[in-house]
Coordinates of all heavy atoms in Angstrom, one line a residue:
A103 N -28.2 31.1 17.1 CA -27.6 30.3 18.2 C -28.5 29.0 18.4 O -28.0 27.9 18.6 CB -27.5 31.1 19.4
S104 N -29.8 29.2 18.4 CA -30.7 28.1 18.7 C -30.6 27.1 17.5 O -30.7 25.8 17.8 CB -32.1 28.6 18.9 OG -32.6 29.2 17.8
A105 N -30.5 27.5 16.3 CA -30.4 26.6 15.2 C -29.1 25.7 15.3 O -29.2 24.5 15.0 CB -30.4 27.4 13.8
I106 N -28.0 26.3 15.7 CA -26.8 25.6 15.8 C -26.9 24.6 17.0 O -26.5 23.4 16.8 CB -25.6 26.5 16.0 CG1 -25.3 27.4 14.8 CG2 -24.3 25.7 16.4 CD1 -24.2 28.4 15.0
R107 N -27.4 25.1 18.1 CA -27.5 24.2 19.3 C -28.4 23.0 19.0 O -28.1 21.9 19.4 CB -28.0 25.0 20.5 CG -26.9 25.8 21.1 CD -27.4 26.6 22.4 NE -26.3 27.2 23.0 CZ -25.6 26.7 24.0 NH1 -25.9 25.5 24.5 NH2 -24.6 27.4 24.5
E108 N -29.5 23.2 18.3 CA -30.4 22.1 18.1 C -29.8 21.1 17.1 O -29.9 19.9 17.3 CB -31.7 22.6 17.5 CG -32.6 23.3 18.6 CD -32.7 22.5 19.8 OE1 -33.1 21.3 19.8 OE2 -32.4 23.0 20.9
A109 N -29.0 21.6 16.2 CA -28.3 20.7 15.2 C -27.2 19.9 16.0 O -27.0 18.7 15.7 CB -27.7 21.5 14.1
V110 N -26.5 20.6 16.8 CA -25.4 19.9 17.6 C -26.1 18.9 18.6 O -25.6 17.8 18.7 CB -24.6 20.9 18.4 CG1 -23.6 20.2 19.4 CG2 -23.8 21.8 17.4
R111 N -27.2 19.3 19.2 CA -27.8 18.3 20.1 C -28.2 17.1 19.4 O -28.1 16.0 20.0 CB -29.0 19.0 20.8 CG -28.7 19.9 21.9 CD -30.0 20.3 22.7 NE -29.6 21.0 23.9 CZ -29.7 22.3 24.1 NH1 -30.0 23.1 23.1 NH2 -29.3 22.8 25.3
K112 N -28.7 17.2 18.2 CA -29.2 16.0 17.4 C -28.0 15.1 17.2 O -28.1 13.9 17.3 CB -29.8 16.5 16.1 CG -30.3 15.4 15.3 CD -30.9 15.9 14.0 CE -31.4 14.7 13.1 NZ -32.0 15.2 11.8
Q113 N -26.8 15.7 16.8 CA -25.6 14.9 16.6 C -25.1 14.3 17.9 O -24.8 13.1 18.0 CB -24.5 15.7 16.0 CG -24.8 16.1 14.5 CD -23.6 16.7 13.8 OE1 -22.5 16.6 14.3 NE2 -23.9 17.4 12.7
Y114 N -25.1 15.0 19.0 CA -24.6 14.5 20.3 C -25.4 13.4 20.8 O -24.9 12.4 21.4 CB -24.6 15.6 21.3 CG -23.3 16.5 21.3 CD1 -23.3 17.7 22.0 CD2 -22.2 16.1 20.6 CE1 -22.2 18.5 21.9 CE2 -21.1 16.9 20.5 CZ -21.0 18.1 21.2 OH -19.9 18.9 21.2
A115 N -26.7 13.5 20.6 CA -27.6 12.4 21.1 C -27.2 11.0 20.4 O -27.2 10.0 21.1 CB -29.1 12.7 20.8
E116 N -26.9 11.1 19.1 CA -26.6 9.9 18.4 C -25.1 9.4 18.8 O -24.9 8.2 19.0 CB -26.7 10.1 16.9 CG -26.4 8.9 16.1 CD -26.5 9.1 14.6 OE1 -26.5 10.3 14.2 OE2 -26.5 8.2 13.8
L117 N -24.2 10.4 18.9 CA -22.8 10.0 19.1 C -22.6 9.5 20.5 O -21.9 8.5 20.7 CB -21.9 11.2 18.8 CG -21.9 11.6 17.3 CD1 -21.4 13.0 17.1 CD2 -21.0 10.7 16.6
F118 N -23.1 10.2 21.5 CA -22.9 9.7 22.9 C -23.6 8.4 23.1 O -23.1 7.6 23.9 CB -23.4 10.8 23.9 CG -22.4 11.9 24.2 CD1 -22.4 13.0 23.4 CD2 -21.4 11.7 25.2 CE1 -21.4 14.0 23.7 CE2 -20.5 12.7 25.4 CZ -20.5 13.9 24.7
A119 N -24.7 8.1 22.5 CA -25.3 6.8 22.6 C -24.5 5.7 22.0 O -24.6 4.5 22.4 CB -26.7 6.9 21.9
A120 N -23.6 6.1 21.1 CA -22.7 5.1 20.5 C -21.5 4.7 21.3 O -20.8 3.7 21.1 CB -22.2 5.6 19.1
F121 N -21.1 5.6 22.3 CA -20.0 5.3 23.1 C -20.2 4.0 23.9 O -21.2 3.9 24.6 CB -19.8 6.5 24.1 CG -19.0 7.6 23.6 CD1 -19.3 8.9 24.0 CD2 -17.9 7.5 22.7 CE1 -18.6 10.0 23.5 CE2 -17.2 8.5 22.3 CZ -17.5 9.8 22.7
P122 N -19.2 3.1 23.9 CA -19.2 2.0 24.8 C -18.8 2.4 26.2 O -18.4 3.5 26.5 CB -18.2 1.0 24.2 CG -17.2 2.0 23.6 CD -17.9 3.2 23.1
A123 N -19.0 1.5 27.2 CA -18.5 1.7 28.5 C -17.4 0.8 28.9 O -17.4 -0.4 28.6 CB -19.7 1.5 29.5
P124 N -16.2 1.3 29.4 CA -16.0 2.7 29.7 C -15.4 3.5 28.6 O -14.6 3.0 27.8 CB -15.1 2.6 30.9 CG -14.2 1.4 30.6 CD -15.2 0.4 30.0
T125 N -15.8 4.8 28.5 CA -15.2 5.7 27.6 C -14.7 6.9 28.3 O -15.3 7.4 29.3 CB -16.2 6.2 26.5 OG1 -16.6 5.1 25.6 CG2 -15.7 7.3 25.7
Y126 N -13.5 7.3 28.0 CA -12.9 8.5 28.6 C -12.7 9.5 27.4 O -12.1 9.2 26.4 CB -11.5 8.2 29.2 CG -11.6 7.1 30.3 CD1 -11.4 5.8 29.9 CD2 -11.9 7.4 31.6 CE1 -11.5 4.8 30.9 CE2 -12.0 6.5 32.6 CZ -11.8 5.1 32.2 OH -11.9 4.2 33.2
A127 N -13.3 10.7 27.6 CA -13.4 11.6 26.5 C -13.0 13.0 26.9 O -13.2 13.4 28.1 CB -14.8 11.6 25.9
T128 N -12.4 13.8 26.0 CA -12.2 15.2 26.1 C -12.7 15.9 24.9 O -13.0 15.3 23.9 CB -10.7 15.5 26.4 OG1 -10.6 16.8 26.9 CG2 -9.8 15.3 25.2
Y129 N -12.7 17.3 25.0 CA -13.4 18.1 24.0 C -12.4 18.4 22.8 O -11.2 18.5 23.0 CB -13.8 19.4 24.5 CG -14.5 19.4 25.9 CD1 -13.9 19.9 27.0 CD2 -15.8 18.8 26.0 CE1 -14.6 19.8 28.2 CE2 -16.4 18.7 27.2 CZ -15.8 19.2 28.3 OH -16.5 19.2 29.5
G130 N -12.9 18.5 21.6 CA -12.2 19.1 20.5 C -12.5 20.6 20.3 O -13.4 21.1 21.0

Side-chain angles (χ1 to χ4, degrees):
S104 60
I106 293 175
R107 281 181 174 267
E108 287 313 306
V110 171
R111 281 193 169 99
K112 183 178 179 181
Q113 291 190 16
Y114 277 166
E116 183 179 15
L117 291 160
F118 276 91
F121 275 144
T125 292
Y126 302 93
T128 195
Y129 316 113

